[in-house]
Amino acid sequence: QIHIQADEINKAIALYELALSQPASEEDADLLSDLGYLYHQMGKLKRAVEVYGRSLQLYPQSATTLLLRGMALLNLKRNQAALRDFNEAIRLSPYLDNAYWGRGQVFIALEDYSWAVASFTRAIELNPDEPEYYESRAKGFRAMGKISEANVDLQAFEKRSTL
């Protein structure tokens, strides 16, 4: 089963690459973003970042592609670049809860816990049913020494994780 799935992913990538070998147009931005996502899922983060960048050259207003590239950059520990992408995604789409979560993760990595908590709080305001946001904010609170707030968030995380 795993070999079949890997083979299908490789075939999909080959088809995307073939389609994109032609001169690019703005309509190709979505294809490139999808291709970047495939690379991202395969753990080929540097290639994903490169392909997301090509997509953004064609359509720089894509908050989703900025979010995805920000996540790949975060995984590569390129925190400042990830922060720029998350901030731009938020500017373009202020209700994109994942972008606030990603920005919070960057602030955790930078040990700027008050900004991390503020970002996670906004993500929770936008999507209060996402358990991971509470768990992330609890880490920020704990790092700030706010143990009771962290415990409240951990309870919220556990409650939402079982739904």
Side-chain angles (χ1 to χ4, degrees):
Q1 182 85 351
I2 292 172
H3 296 290
I4 293 170
Q5 289 175 347
D7 188 48
E8 289 175 3
I9 289 172
N10 289 330
K11 285 179 185 176
I13 288 173
L15 288 172
Y16 274 111
E17 292 284 2
L18 179 63
L20 294 168
S21 66
Q22 308 305 314
S25 67
E26 189 172 300
E27 292 78 35
D28 293 329
D30 285 340
L31 286 175
L32 282 163
S33 189
D34 290 346
L35 178 60
Y37 185 75
L38 283 172
Y39 282 121
H40 195 151
Q41 292 303 108
M42 294 173 65
K44 297 181 178 186
L45 298 175
K46 289 180 182 178
R47 181 72 174 133
V49 167
E50 176 188 323
V51 174
Y52 289 140
R54 287 176 54 201
S55 175
L56 289 165
Q57 286 175 346
L58 298 173
Y59 188 66
Q61 302 85 4
S62 175
T64 300
T65 303
L66 284 160
L67 168 69
L68 292 169
R69 186 174 72 176
M71 293 295 186
L73 289 165
L74 178 64
N75 289 330
L76 289 167
K77 300 190 183 329
R78 292 178 51 194
N79 295 322
Q80 293 301 326
L83 183 60
R84 281 192 298 276
D85 278 0
F86 292 133
N87 283 336
E88 183 64 7
I90 290 166
R91 186 187 71 75
L92 292 168
S93 185
Y95 302 104
L96 195 58
D97 56 293
N98 309 39
Y100 290 96
W101 179 83
R103 185 170 72 178
Q105 293 299 329
V106 170
F107 285 128
I108 289 285
L110 297 174
E111 298 181 1
D112 191 339
Y113 302 114
S114 60
W115 278 103
V117 166
S119 293
F120 296 138
T121 298
R122 183 63 180 140
I124 290 167
E125 290 168 356
L126 293 170
N127 185 359
D129 296 325
E130 177 54 56
E132 191 171 16
Y133 297 167
Y134 293 90
E135 181 183 37
S136 297
R137 188 171 69 175
K139 290 178 186 175
F141 278 138
R142 192 171 36 248
M144 296 169 70
K146 297 184 175 185
I147 304 306
S148 61
E149 289 92 335
N151 288 337
V152 168
D153 273 354
L154 288 174
Q155 289 173 353
F157 165 74
E158 290 173 8
K159 177 182 175 186
R160 284 163 179 81
S161 293
T162 59
L163 297 178

